[in-house]
Amino acid sequence: MSLRAFLEDCARRGEVLEIGELLSTRYEIASVIKALDGGPLLVFKRVEGHPSFKVVSNICNRPRLMRALGAEHVEEAYRKLIEASERPSEPKVSSSGLAAEEHVMEKPDLGKLPVLLHYEGDAGPYITSAVISARSPDGNIENVSVHRLLVVGRDKLVIRLVPRHLYKLWRMAADEGRDLGVAISIGVHPAVMLASTTPVPFGVSEFHVANTLLGGRLKLFECSETGARAPAEAEVVIEGFIKARELAPEGPLVDITGTHDAIRQQPVIEVRRIMWREGAYYHAILPAGVEHKLLMGFPREAEIWRAVSKVVPRVVAVNLSVGGCGWLHAIIAVEKNVDGDAKNAIMAAFSAHPSLKHVVVVDPDIDIYNPADVEWAIATRFQASEDLIIVPNARGSSLDPSADQETGLTTKVGIDATIPLGRDKRAFERAKVPLTARAEAVIRRLLGRG
Ligand code: MN
């Protein structure tokens, strides 16, 4: 249940592209990841100035994510994720035997890690795949979440803390005048990563969700300096404390929208120890790349799927589309019973994912992963005077530059692009050309598949 085992499986299937040329963490690796975005899993074997590490990226595209969850199709993956968030289970914990402890840097130097500088205008090198865990001062509540980390010194990071669960734990510790101990894990199994971005209530540990997802096979260890926990098979673990009072400028960084996010005063992490496995794989996620969108958006797709399933007979699939930043736009294919079902689906989707801005609901014959097909449904099945919902001044995403930057308010739009039930269905159906076996053979040859 390690990243390494998952990578080996991908290599056996011929999905791994190894890059043997020497490349720099300064823009060079990011530019290669960007050029091959969404394609093969990439392993950079020679990283300039970092001989002990390999950089791995694009671990997850949709098919690999399905495999990481042991799911045959997307509905099964949603179901597994929802079940895991409803039935979290306690992982095994050990105090030693950690793979990551093969190398320990007692006097930490973050400069030794191959942290990438991604985009022109970024504030500096950013760790983008950090799974961060912390516990409440009484030890009873654990939270695990993913945050971007700006490297600002040998032993200093600045963390972007949106006011959610880790922020709450940080405030709880700060109220007692204490710094918050954290374990920062880099290079974990995709299921652990996904569990960490799955919305569960405060008090539920995302490690417990990950353990259920992995069939009870997640192993954790307790870090000696901080008491925070990390997956025993993580490639790299950084131990540190989020300072109770020290803030520093964080940003700009290109986030999921592909635009530069604002500079904000954010908490500083003081790093105490850095550990890594022999031949460690450092996981780099390109901001605004397909992997970033998928890991952040997929658990939200599951939430939307669940919520919309309660109001319409069947939800075939949900796509937080790449063009919609994997976060702001949802395309939902539903089977409806009565007119009005699609509008209820729109409202359910907005409530399931508060950052959602635009929703398009289509019939099951539309390929929701193909933007041209979705546009065709809007062109031929949608009348704005009947099928449009506009909700002004709702809460949106802080990542959307067009939202009000002071209040965070945005306007939400829902588009019902399903065929109206009262009309003759044939008028809306895509025309087909009959296909004979002989013609099909020719087509296969011309397309290079036969
Ligand atoms: Mn949480």
Side-chain angles (χ1 to χ4, degrees):
M1 289 306 117
S2 62
L3 173 63
R4 220 166 265 210
F6 187 75
L7 294 179
E8 280 161 13
D9 180 57
C10 293
R12 270 195 299 275
R13 294 165 187 269
E15 295 177 7
V16 175
L17 202 58
E18 292 192 331
I19 295 104
E21 291 91 339
L22 189 69
L23 288 171
S24 165
T25 56
R26 200 183 152 76
Y27 302 130
E28 284 190 336
I29 292 179
S31 67
V32 175
I33 298 170
K34 193 166 194 317
L36 284 93
D37 191 26
L41 198 158
L42 302 175
V43 175
F44 296 87
K45 294 174 80 176
R46 291 174 63 219
V47 186
E48 197 167 44
H50 304 278
S52 316
F53 294 91
K54 293 184 278 262
V55 170
V56 59
S57 190
N58 203 24
I59 295 171
C60 284
N61 56 14
R62 277 187 188 265
R64 283 196 285 277
L65 194 63
M66 295 295 114
R67 222 160 56 225
L69 295 176
E72 295 283 328
H73 51 81
V74 72
E75 276 187 88
E76 189 186 354
Y78 294 156
R79 226 174 258 125
K80 282 197 163 183
L81 207 52
I82 287 162
E83 268 174 35
S85 64
E86 285 171 350
R87 290 189 295 103
S89 57
E90 177 87 43
K92 289 185 196 67
V93 184
S94 59
S95 52
S96 62
L98 160 69
E101 268 176 328
E102 285 170 5
H103 299 274
V104 180
M105 219 191 290
E106 297 290 355
K107 201 175 171 312
D109 179 5
L110 291 162
K112 293 274 193 298
L113 297 177
V115 184
L116 304 190
L117 179 60
H118 303 95
Y119 290 90
E120 207 171 54
D122 280 357
Y126 263 93
I127 300 174
T128 51
S129 67
V131 172
I132 302 178
S133 80
R135 290 201 276 186
S136 56
D138 63 8
N140 288 335
I141 292 174
E142 181 176 60
N143 191 72
V144 189
S145 45
V146 177
H147 301 261
R148 64 195 207 201
L149 300 170
L150 171 63
V151 178
V152 291
R154 293 166 67 93
D155 59 355
K156 248 187 192 182
L157 296 160
V158 190
I159 180 170
R160 169 77 175 123
L161 268 192
V162 285
R164 287 201 286 256
H165 298 166
L166 183 59
Y167 177 90
K168 199 162 164 179
L169 289 179
W170 171 60
R171 293 317 310 160
M172 285 164 75
D175 286 346
E176 298 184 5
R178 301 211 315 226
D179 300 334
L180 181 69
V182 291
I184 301 165
S185 307
I186 301 167
V188 297
H189 189 278
V192 177
M193 196 92 202
L194 212 58
S196 313
T197 61
T198 297
V200 287
F202 186 67
V204 176
S205 169
E206 287 80 359
F207 277 149
H208 294 207
V209 177
N211 188 52
T212 302
L213 262 186
L214 290 170
R217 287 173 293 175
L218 179 67
K219 250 189 279 158
L220 299 178
F221 81 103
E222 199 165 287
C223 291
S224 55
E225 289 258 345
T226 57
R229 308 191 302 174
E233 293 177 298
E235 294 289 318
V236 178
V237 177
I238 301 170
E239 267 194 276
F241 287 89
I242 308 182
K243 306 295 283 177
R245 316 224 181 277
E246 193 182 344
L247 302 178
E250 192 277 332
L253 169 75
V254 167
D255 208 306
I256 202 158
T257 54
T259 56
H260 281 98
D261 199 5
I263 302 174
R264 302 177 180 88
Q265 288 293 317
Q266 292 289 297
V268 165
I269 298 179
E270 185 187 297
V271 173
R272 292 288 176 80
R273 275 170 110 215
I274 303 176
M275 300 162 261
W276 69 94
R277 298 182 67 172
E278 175 65 31
Y281 289 90
Y282 173 90
H283 185 193
I285 298 174
L286 178 74
V290 166
E291 180 170 35
H292 182 197
K293 291 168 180 168
L294 200 54
L295 287 171
M296 215 166 127
F298 195 81
R300 305 297 167 148
E301 284 182 5
E303 285 293 313
I304 293 170
W305 180 81
R306 166 160 63 176
V308 178
S309 295
K310 287 177 183 160
V311 300
V312 301
R314 182 168 172 238
V315 182
V316 179
V318 178
N319 180 20
L320 285 175
S321 61
V322 173
C325 314
W327 198 242
L328 301 175
H329 288 180
I331 324 292
I332 308 171
V334 302
E335 275 170 17
K336 61 177 188 178
N337 251 351
V338 291
D339 280 323
D341 273 349
K343 287 211 177 72
N344 286 358
I346 289 166
M347 293 189 285
F350 281 139
S351 69
H353 176 35
S355 290
L356 200 58
K357 189 175 162 190
H358 299 149
V359 180
V360 182
V361 179
V362 296
D363 296 294
D365 64 322
I366 300 299
D367 177 1
I368 62 168
Y369 302 104
N370 178 350
D373 220 32
V374 175
E375 189 182 351
W376 178 77
I378 295 172
T380 61
R381 298 176 180 183
F382 167 74
Q383 281 292 308
S385 60
E386 305 290 319
D387 305 322
L388 184 71
I389 297 177
I390 300 178
V391 185
N393 295 322
R395 200 202 112 192
S397 167
S398 65
L399 294 168
D400 172 11
S402 77
D404 189 307
Q405 297 299 294
E406 292 289 308
T407 60
L409 295 180
T410 194
T411 299
K412 310 211 169 198
V413 170
I415 292 173
D416 172 3
T418 58
I419 300 171
L421 291 176
R423 299 273 302 274
D424 184 355
K425 219 177 159 207
R426 283 170 301 182
F428 297 92
E429 278 171 352
R430 210 183 318 245
K432 291 186 187 80
V433 180
L435 190 61
T436 64
R438 196 158 66 175
E440 195 182 356
V442 172
I443 292 165
R444 290 178 70 87
R445 179 180 64 74
L446 293 172
L447 292 175
R449 296 195 211 118

